[in-house]
Amino acid sequence: STRNYTLTIRESSSSGCLTTHIDASKQGTYLRFMNHSCKPNVKVVPMRDDYIYPRATCWTCADVKKGDELCISYGETLGQVECWCGSVSCRGFLPWEPLKSDAI
C-alpha cells in the first residue's frame, strides 16, 4: 500500500539506529491530530524512561503565534502520495515508510 498513518521516529545510539513506527490508526496521542508540513514548526523528540518504546514529545522549532497550526514532519523517506502542505520548501510528496508487522 502507498498510504499509512504512521509517524517514524529514529534514534541513534552507539549500537546503531533504532526505528519506531507509531501507527495512529491503532493508538496515539495528540500527535495523531497534527498535520504534516515539509517545514514543520514542531519537532518530535523521542524520550526514554522505563518503557520499551520511546515517548514522542513535541517541542517547537520555530516561532509559533496564537492561531498558528502546529505541524510536524511525518518522516524523511518520500513516498508516492502528493504533499499539499503549501510550504515554500515542500518536497512534493508525503513521507512514507514500509511497515513491519510490529508497528505500535
Side-chain angles (χ1 to χ4, degrees), residues 5-24:
Y5 300 96
T6 64
L7 172 67
T8 301
I9 297 175
R10 287 191 177 78
E11 299 173 89
S12 297
S13 71
S14 59
S15 58
C17 181
L18 177 63
T19 301
T20 303
H21 299 284
I22 301 173
D23 185 347

Side-chain angles (χ1 to χ4, degrees), residues 85-97:
C85 74
S87 121
V88 294
S89 57
C90 182
R91 296 177 284 183
F93 295 92
L94 287 173
W96 179 82
E97 300 261 348

Side-chain angles (χ1 to χ4, degrees), residues 28-85:
T29 63
Y30 53 87
L31 284 173
R32 70 191 316 170
F33 302 109
M34 287 190 180
N35 286 321
H36 164 80
S37 175
C38 292
K39 188 174 181 180
N41 55 11
V42 173
K43 181 176 177 123
V44 178
V45 178
M47 300 289 278
R48 292 272 175 184
D49 53 21
D50 293 332
Y51 191 61
I52 189 169
Y53 300 112
R55 296 186 188 277
T57 64
C58 292
W59 301 85
T60 57
C61 57
D63 288 337
V64 177
K65 297 179 185 120
K66 182 178 180 179
D68 285 352
E69 179 181 14
L70 300 178
C71 297
I72 60 175
S73 174
Y74 289 170
E76 300 166 10
T77 306
L78 297 183
Q80 300 173 344
V81 176
E82 186 176 356
C83 179
W84 293 11
C85 74

